PDB file of all heavy atoms in Angstrom:
ATOM      1  N   LEU X 145      -7.995  23.819 -87.024  1.00  0.00           N
ATOM      2  CA  LEU X 145      -7.186  24.832 -86.360  1.00  0.00           C
ATOM      3  C   LEU X 145      -5.717  24.787 -86.928  1.00  0.00           C
ATOM      4  O   LEU X 145      -5.146  25.872 -87.124  1.00  0.00           O
ATOM      5  CB  LEU X 145      -7.165  24.539 -84.902  1.00  0.00           C
ATOM      6  CG  LEU X 145      -6.369  25.532 -84.019  1.00  0.00           C
ATOM      7  CD1 LEU X 145      -6.956  26.942 -84.135  1.00  0.00           C
ATOM      8  CD2 LEU X 145      -6.350  25.099 -82.568  1.00  0.00           C
ATOM      9  N   ASP X 146      -5.233  23.619 -87.240  1.00  0.00           N
ATOM     10  CA  ASP X 146      -3.875  23.549 -87.785  1.00  0.00           C
ATOM     11  C   ASP X 146      -3.759  24.282 -89.113  1.00  0.00           C
ATOM     12  O   ASP X 146      -2.807  25.027 -89.350  1.00  0.00           O
ATOM     13  CB  ASP X 146      -3.465  22.081 -87.998  1.00  0.00           C
ATOM     14  CG  ASP X 146      -1.960  21.956 -88.306  1.00  0.00           C
ATOM     15  OD1 ASP X 146      -1.232  22.112 -87.353  1.00  0.00           O
ATOM     16  OD2 ASP X 146      -1.601  21.685 -89.460  1.00  0.00           O
ATOM     17  N   ARG X 147      -4.804  24.172 -89.925  1.00  0.00           N
ATOM     18  CA  ARG X 147      -4.809  24.922 -91.189  1.00  0.00           C
ATOM     19  C   ARG X 147      -4.896  26.380 -90.962  1.00  0.00           C
ATOM     20  O   ARG X 147      -4.252  27.214 -91.713  1.00  0.00           O
ATOM     21  CB  ARG X 147      -5.972  24.417 -92.080  1.00  0.00           C
ATOM     22  CG  ARG X 147      -5.861  22.964 -92.492  1.00  0.00           C
ATOM     23  CD  ARG X 147      -6.873  22.631 -93.577  1.00  0.00           C
ATOM     24  NE  ARG X 147      -8.238  22.687 -93.080  1.00  0.00           N
ATOM     25  CZ  ARG X 147      -8.884  21.645 -92.513  1.00  0.00           C
ATOM     26  NH1 ARG X 147      -8.272  20.482 -92.337  1.00  0.00           N
ATOM     27  NH2 ARG X 147     -10.139  21.759 -92.140  1.00  0.00           N
ATOM     28  N   GLU X 148      -5.677  26.816 -90.033  1.00  0.00           N
ATOM     29  CA  GLU X 148      -5.774  28.210 -89.720  1.00  0.00           C
ATOM     30  C   GLU X 148      -4.475  28.829 -89.182  1.00  0.00           C
ATOM     31  O   GLU X 148      -4.084  29.929 -89.548  1.00  0.00           O
ATOM     32  CB  GLU X 148      -6.930  28.474 -88.714  1.00  0.00           C
ATOM     33  CG  GLU X 148      -8.319  28.170 -89.206  1.00  0.00           C
ATOM     34  CD  GLU X 148      -8.842  29.212 -90.117  1.00  0.00           C
ATOM     35  OE1 GLU X 148      -8.378  30.364 -89.992  1.00  0.00           O
ATOM     36  OE2 GLU X 148      -9.733  28.899 -90.952  1.00  0.00           O
ATOM     37  N   LEU X 149      -3.823  28.063 -88.329  1.00  0.00           N
ATOM     38  CA  LEU X 149      -2.595  28.550 -87.687  1.00  0.00           C
ATOM     39  C   LEU X 149      -1.380  28.569 -88.677  1.00  0.00           C
ATOM     40  O   LEU X 149      -0.340  29.103 -88.338  1.00  0.00           O
ATOM     41  CB  LEU X 149      -2.226  27.693 -86.494  1.00  0.00           C
ATOM     42  CG  LEU X 149      -3.143  27.966 -85.274  1.00  0.00           C
ATOM     43  CD1 LEU X 149      -2.896  26.944 -84.159  1.00  0.00           C
ATOM     44  CD2 LEU X 149      -2.883  29.362 -84.699  1.00  0.00           C
ATOM     45  N   ALA X 150      -1.586  28.114 -89.855  1.00  0.00           N
ATOM     46  CA  ALA X 150      -0.498  28.178 -90.907  1.00  0.00           C
ATOM     47  C   ALA X 150      -0.312  29.621 -91.323  1.00  0.00           C
ATOM     48  O   ALA X 150       0.711  29.968 -91.886  1.00  0.00           O
ATOM     49  CB  ALA X 150      -0.883  27.316 -92.082  1.00  0.00           C
ATOM     50  N   THR X 151      -1.314  30.472 -91.066  1.00  0.00           N
ATOM     51  CA  THR X 151      -1.252  31.875 -91.572  1.00  0.00           C
ATOM     52  C   THR X 151      -1.111  32.916 -90.499  1.00  0.00           C
ATOM     53  O   THR X 151      -1.052  34.116 -90.856  1.00  0.00           O
ATOM     54  CB  THR X 151      -2.513  32.217 -92.382  1.00  0.00           C
ATOM     55  OG1 THR X 151      -3.675  32.065 -91.525  1.00  0.00           O
ATOM     56  CG2 THR X 151      -2.720  31.182 -93.555  1.00  0.00           C
ATOM     57  N   ARG X 152      -1.041  32.498 -89.234  1.00  0.00           N
ATOM     58  CA  ARG X 152      -0.963  33.501 -88.173  1.00  0.00           C
ATOM     59  C   ARG X 152      -0.384  32.869 -86.921  1.00  0.00           C
ATOM     60  O   ARG X 152      -0.338  31.633 -86.752  1.00  0.00           O
ATOM     61  CB  ARG X 152      -2.282  34.099 -87.831  1.00  0.00           C
ATOM     62  CG  ARG X 152      -3.375  33.106 -87.470  1.00  0.00           C
ATOM     63  CD  ARG X 152      -4.720  33.878 -87.316  1.00  0.00           C
ATOM     64  NE  ARG X 152      -5.811  32.957 -86.928  1.00  0.00           N
ATOM     65  CZ  ARG X 152      -6.577  32.347 -87.769  1.00  0.00           C
ATOM     66  NH1 ARG X 152      -6.401  32.516 -89.074  1.00  0.00           N
ATOM     67  NH2 ARG X 152      -7.573  31.565 -87.349  1.00  0.00           N
ATOM     68  N   GLU X 153       0.096  33.691 -86.039  1.00  0.00           N
ATOM     69  CA  GLU X 153       0.761  33.279 -84.799  1.00  0.00           C
ATOM     70  C   GLU X 153      -0.179  32.765 -83.747  1.00  0.00           C
ATOM     71  O   GLU X 153       0.087  31.768 -83.055  1.00  0.00           O
ATOM     72  CB  GLU X 153       1.611  34.398 -84.221  1.00  0.00           C
ATOM     73  CG  GLU X 153       2.446  33.967 -83.034  1.00  0.00           C
ATOM     74  CD  GLU X 153       3.350  35.092 -82.495  1.00  0.00           C
ATOM     75  OE1 GLU X 153       3.287  36.223 -83.112  1.00  0.00           O
ATOM     76  OE2 GLU X 153       4.079  34.875 -81.578  1.00  0.00           O
ATOM     77  N   ASP X 184       1.219  15.147 -86.800  1.00  0.00           N
ATOM     78  CA  ASP X 184       1.276  15.838 -88.139  1.00  0.00           C
ATOM     79  C   ASP X 184       0.756  17.275 -88.065  1.00  0.00           C
ATOM     80  O   ASP X 184       0.914  18.015 -89.001  1.00  0.00           O
ATOM     81  CB  ASP X 184       0.438  15.095 -89.165  1.00  0.00           C
ATOM     82  CG  ASP X 184      -1.020  14.870 -88.724  1.00  0.00           C
ATOM     83  OD1 ASP X 184      -1.231  14.652 -87.545  1.00  0.00           O
ATOM     84  OD2 ASP X 184      -1.896  14.956 -89.611  1.00  0.00           O
ATOM     85  N   LEU X 185       0.192  17.621 -86.889  1.00  0.00           N
ATOM     86  CA  LEU X 185      -0.406  18.968 -86.754  1.00  0.00           C
ATOM     87  C   LEU X 185       0.686  19.952 -86.275  1.00  0.00           C
ATOM     88  O   LEU X 185       0.685  20.432 -85.152  1.00  0.00           O
ATOM     89  CB  LEU X 185      -1.579  18.951 -85.769  1.00  0.00           C
ATOM     90  CG  LEU X 185      -2.730  18.004 -86.180  1.00  0.00           C
ATOM     91  CD1 LEU X 185      -3.872  18.064 -85.106  1.00  0.00           C
ATOM     92  CD2 LEU X 185      -3.261  18.346 -87.567  1.00  0.00           C
ATOM     93  N   SER X 186       1.640  20.243 -87.160  1.00  0.00           N
ATOM     94  CA  SER X 186       2.809  20.980 -86.785  1.00  0.00           C
ATOM     95  C   SER X 186       2.495  22.456 -86.374  1.00  0.00           C
ATOM     96  O   SER X 186       3.148  22.996 -85.514  1.00  0.00           O
ATOM     97  CB  SER X 186       3.829  21.001 -87.949  1.00  0.00           C
ATOM     98  OG  SER X 186       3.224  21.610 -89.104  1.00  0.00           O
ATOM     99  N   ASN X 187       1.446  23.012 -86.942  1.00  0.00           N
ATOM    100  CA  ASN X 187       1.130  24.421 -86.624  1.00  0.00           C
ATOM    101  C   ASN X 187       0.487  24.471 -85.218  1.00  0.00           C
ATOM    102  O   ASN X 187       0.742  25.350 -84.431  1.00  0.00           O
ATOM    103  CB  ASN X 187       0.189  25.014 -87.660  1.00  0.00           C
ATOM    104  CG  ASN X 187       0.857  25.091 -88.997  1.00  0.00           C
ATOM    105  OD1 ASN X 187       1.966  25.597 -89.099  1.00  0.00           O
ATOM    106  ND2 ASN X 187       0.142  24.607 -90.006  1.00  0.00           N
ATOM    107  N   VAL X 188      -0.368  23.484 -84.899  1.00  0.00           N
ATOM    108  CA  VAL X 188      -0.945  23.436 -83.563  1.00  0.00           C
ATOM    109  C   VAL X 188       0.193  23.140 -82.561  1.00  0.00           C
ATOM    110  O   VAL X 188       0.210  23.743 -81.449  1.00  0.00           O
ATOM    111  CB  VAL X 188      -2.020  22.297 -83.495  1.00  0.00           C
ATOM    112  CG1 VAL X 188      -2.439  22.054 -82.027  1.00  0.00           C
ATOM    113  CG2 VAL X 188      -3.295  22.669 -84.306  1.00  0.00           C
ATOM    114  N   GLN X 189       1.068  22.260 -82.864  1.00  0.00           N
ATOM    115  CA  GLN X 189       2.198  21.964 -81.966  1.00  0.00           C
ATOM    116  C   GLN X 189       3.042  23.158 -81.711  1.00  0.00           C
ATOM    117  O   GLN X 189       3.417  23.437 -80.556  1.00  0.00           O
ATOM    118  CB  GLN X 189       3.064  20.810 -82.582  1.00  0.00           C
ATOM    119  CG  GLN X 189       2.332  19.508 -82.809  1.00  0.00           C
ATOM    120  CD  GLN X 189       2.292  18.633 -81.575  1.00  0.00           C
ATOM    121  OE1 GLN X 189       2.628  19.063 -80.457  1.00  0.00           O
ATOM    122  NE2 GLN X 189       1.837  17.421 -81.746  1.00  0.00           N
ATOM    123  N   ARG X 190       3.353  23.926 -82.726  1.00  0.00           N
ATOM    124  CA  ARG X 190       4.128  25.165 -82.587  1.00  0.00           C
ATOM    125  C   ARG X 190       3.391  26.164 -81.703  1.00  0.00           C
ATOM    126  O   ARG X 190       4.025  26.778 -80.782  1.00  0.00           O
ATOM    127  CB  ARG X 190       4.380  25.767 -83.949  1.00  0.00           C
ATOM    128  CG  ARG X 190       5.215  27.057 -83.988  1.00  0.00           C
ATOM    129  CD  ARG X 190       4.334  28.295 -83.998  1.00  0.00           C
ATOM    130  NE  ARG X 190       3.348  28.237 -85.087  1.00  0.00           N
ATOM    131  CZ  ARG X 190       2.268  29.042 -85.121  1.00  0.00           C
ATOM    132  NH1 ARG X 190       2.045  29.883 -84.131  1.00  0.00           N
ATOM    133  NH2 ARG X 190       1.414  28.998 -86.117  1.00  0.00           N
ATOM    134  N   TRP X 191       2.134  26.387 -82.024  1.00  0.00           N
ATOM    135  CA  TRP X 191       1.277  27.375 -81.270  1.00  0.00           C
ATOM    136  C   TRP X 191       1.200  26.942 -79.768  1.00  0.00           C
ATOM    137  O   TRP X 191       1.381  27.730 -78.856  1.00  0.00           O
ATOM    138  CB  TRP X 191      -0.070  27.470 -81.879  1.00  0.00           C
ATOM    139  CG  TRP X 191      -1.101  28.040 -80.994  1.00  0.00           C
ATOM    140  CD1 TRP X 191      -1.338  29.379 -80.649  1.00  0.00           C
ATOM    141  CD2 TRP X 191      -2.060  27.314 -80.202  1.00  0.00           C
ATOM    142  NE1 TRP X 191      -2.309  29.484 -79.789  1.00  0.00           N
ATOM    143  CE2 TRP X 191      -2.804  28.228 -79.433  1.00  0.00           C
ATOM    144  CE3 TRP X 191      -2.326  25.944 -80.074  1.00  0.00           C
ATOM    145  CZ2 TRP X 191      -3.814  27.873 -78.589  1.00  0.00           C
ATOM    146  CZ3 TRP X 191      -3.354  25.551 -79.235  1.00  0.00           C
ATOM    147  CH2 TRP X 191      -4.058  26.502 -78.485  1.00  0.00           C
ATOM    148  N   TYR X 192       0.936  25.678 -79.565  1.00  0.00           N
ATOM    149  CA  TYR X 192       0.711  25.154 -78.194  1.00  0.00           C
ATOM    150  C   TYR X 192       1.959  25.283 -77.407  1.00  0.00           C
ATOM    151  O   TYR X 192       1.947  25.697 -76.184  1.00  0.00           O
ATOM    152  CB  TYR X 192       0.272  23.705 -78.214  1.00  0.00           C
ATOM    153  CG  TYR X 192       0.162  23.085 -76.831  1.00  0.00           C
ATOM    154  CD1 TYR X 192      -0.872  23.457 -75.984  1.00  0.00           C
ATOM    155  CD2 TYR X 192       1.046  22.141 -76.452  1.00  0.00           C
ATOM    156  CE1 TYR X 192      -0.964  22.951 -74.722  1.00  0.00           C
ATOM    157  CE2 TYR X 192       0.951  21.569 -75.180  1.00  0.00           C
ATOM    158  CZ  TYR X 192      -0.037  21.995 -74.336  1.00  0.00           C
ATOM    159  OH  TYR X 192      -0.121  21.415 -73.059  1.00  0.00           O
ATOM    160  N   ALA X 193       3.113  25.010 -77.969  1.00  0.00           N
ATOM    161  CA  ALA X 193       4.437  25.138 -77.267  1.00  0.00           C
ATOM    162  C   ALA X 193       4.603  26.626 -76.880  1.00  0.00           C
ATOM    163  O   ALA X 193       5.096  26.916 -75.736  1.00  0.00           O
ATOM    164  CB  ALA X 193       5.541  24.627 -78.128  1.00  0.00           C
TER     165      ALA X 193
END
Side-chain angles (χ1 to χ4, degrees):
L145 181 62
D146 191 74
R147 294 192 294 272
E148 293 285 334
L149 287 170
T151 62
R152 57 184 181 269
E153 185 176 359
D184 59 321
L185 302 180
S186 59
N187 297 312
V188 170
Q189 298 277 8
R190 180 266 307 161
W191 160 81
Y192 176 70

